[in-house]
Amino acid sequence: MESITVLQIKQLPNEIHQLVIEASNEGFRHLIRLVNEYQAGTNRFNKHSEALFVAYALSEIVGVCRLNQAPYSQEGSIRRVRRLYVSKDFRGFKLRLDCF
C-alpha cells in the first residue's frame, strides 16, 4: 500500500490542477470553484480555524479538503468541510490521522 501524507497548507500548490482536471472529467466542478475562489481572494482559508488540507501519495496530489467557518453559526465555533475530493484511484483507502 502506498504511503499517504496529509498536510495542512497555506497556498494552493501548482499540482492541484491535475486533480482539478480529474475531478472535472468525472463531472465534479467543485475543485474549479475552489481554485477560482482562492485566485479571486474570496476564500484563502485564512480566517480563524480555517484550513486547506492536501493528501499526497509520493509527490502526487491525491486528495483535497477545505475547512471553513460555517456561515450561519452564531458563535463562530462551527466548521464545515467543503470542496472534498479524493482521486478515483485512492478512494476506499483506510487512512489513520494522528493529528486529531
Side-chain angles (χ1 to χ4, degrees):
M1 177 164 109
E2 282 190 65
S3 176
I4 298 172
T5 304
V6 178
L7 300 174
Q8 181 178 347
I9 60 174
K10 298 290 183 188
Q11 297 180 355
L12 283 178
N14 291 330
E15 304 87 8
I16 193 80
H17 295 292
Q18 186 59 39
L19 204 61
V20 171
I21 291 167
E22 179 182 330
S24 295
N25 288 340
E26 284 192 88
F28 301 118
R29 299 185 42 80
H30 62 290
L31 291 191
I32 293 170
R33 289 192 293 272
L34 173 104
V35 171
N36 288 344
E37 290 170 354
Y38 183 83
Q39 290 174 342
T42 56
N43 197 331
R44 293 278 173 99
F45 339 109
N46 56 2
K47 293 180 184 173
H48 177 68
S49 299
E50 290 189 337
L52 179 67
F53 296 95
V54 175
Y56 289 93
L58 301 176
S59 61
E60 180 184 352
I61 294 178
V62 297
V64 64
C65 177
R66 182 175 94 188
L67 184 66
N68 283 108
Q69 292 180 355
Y72 306 109
S73 169
Q74 297 297 323
E75 68 277 350
S77 63
I78 298 173
R79 306 294 174 257
R80 65 182 181 169
V81 172
R82 303 281 297 178
R83 314 290 188 231
L84 172 67
Y85 182 80
V86 176
S87 178
K88 193 177 196 179
D89 295 337
F90 287 84
R91 294 176 193 159
F93 274 58
K94 291 184 181 357
L95 180 63
R96 184 176 145 214
L97 298 175
D98 293 326
C99 60
F100 296 104

